[in-house]
Amino acid sequence: MVKVFVITGGTGGHIFPAIEVRNFLENLKIKTYLIVSPKTDFNKIITYNYRFDSAPLELKNLKVFLFNLYKILKSTIFAFYLTLKIKPNFMFIFGSYASFPFFIPALITGRKIFVFEQNSIPGLVTKIFSKFSHKILISFRETEKFLKKKCIFLGNPTRELKEISKIEARKLLKIPENKRTLLFLGGSQGAKKLIELSYSYSKLQDDTVLVIAGKFFNEYVEKLAGENFFLFPFREDIEIFYSASDIVISRAGSGAVFEMLKLRKKAIFIPFPHAKNNHQYYNALFAKNYGTFKLIKEDNINPYLLKCEVDNLFKEKEEFKKLPNWKEVLKRELKKCSLFIQE
């Protein structure tokens, strides 16, 4: 029996695509193990086979560096243990540095590696290990110029979102049915800057404002209130919010970008300025070539500028380019591995 590890770390932007790939492989009758190192507690909404700890190696603080090094070494030993115990034929690796502990045993034991690079600019771990990987599957076509090995343009494996009518979604959320509606997203981690911006906007403009506050929900739920302002914690039923909204204001993680593209939803991206290699800015910049999006740097943002951009986006004609069907692309690549899919 062919066995596969699907390894991912980080936030929902890595974890949810990894789950989609896991589900896809299982539908092909492949024995799949989902192994995660999440920054946020996803226990209530995902099921996985194993969990490990990982961390970045940064020299800003010696104590933190040594502690992170300990976690990485511990997880690398665990990765060797799992690899020798289960003997997977392949490893599908998401999450860059977060999944680093599994690269070493994969190489030493001769497992084929499929790397999924979801950001427009790959991190150092991906750049190094891409040289030894069987395939590099990229979300943004432009990523190929940063990697020497030939890449496969996959797009991003986004979760299946069931759209409902705008009226039905607004009834479910108990919000006005006939007002312009904006949805603010900070990703699975939430984003204080966007929460505060959304509240300021709601005081300036009478649009309905929906905010997914993530882990910051409890901090803000008592502080912020308004007739047109609605604050929510992280929600699994995000499709209701997408369906209810006219425009989305979001960070520019690859997951958010590709969900907007898949749903053909107009959006304004405000990239997280401290993302590694400023990759969210480039995610948003490249995304503008595919859909009806606007990009505003966080340093420039204020509720008045946002109002102007929202008004302009409402007037703008909707245009979206077709993306690859990631399942078809991945299946084609897997068929090239004779052990993987048998007709």
Side-chain angles (χ1 to χ4, degrees), residues 77 197 209:
I77 293 170
L197 174 66
V209 174

Side-chain angles (χ1 to χ4, degrees), residues 120 122 138 140-148 151 286:
S120 50
I138 57 176
F140 296 90
R141 192 181 294 278
E142 293 82 353
T143 306
E144 188 168 7
K145 66 185 179 183
F146 298 100
L147 301 171
K148 293 182 179 180
C151 299
F286 294 148

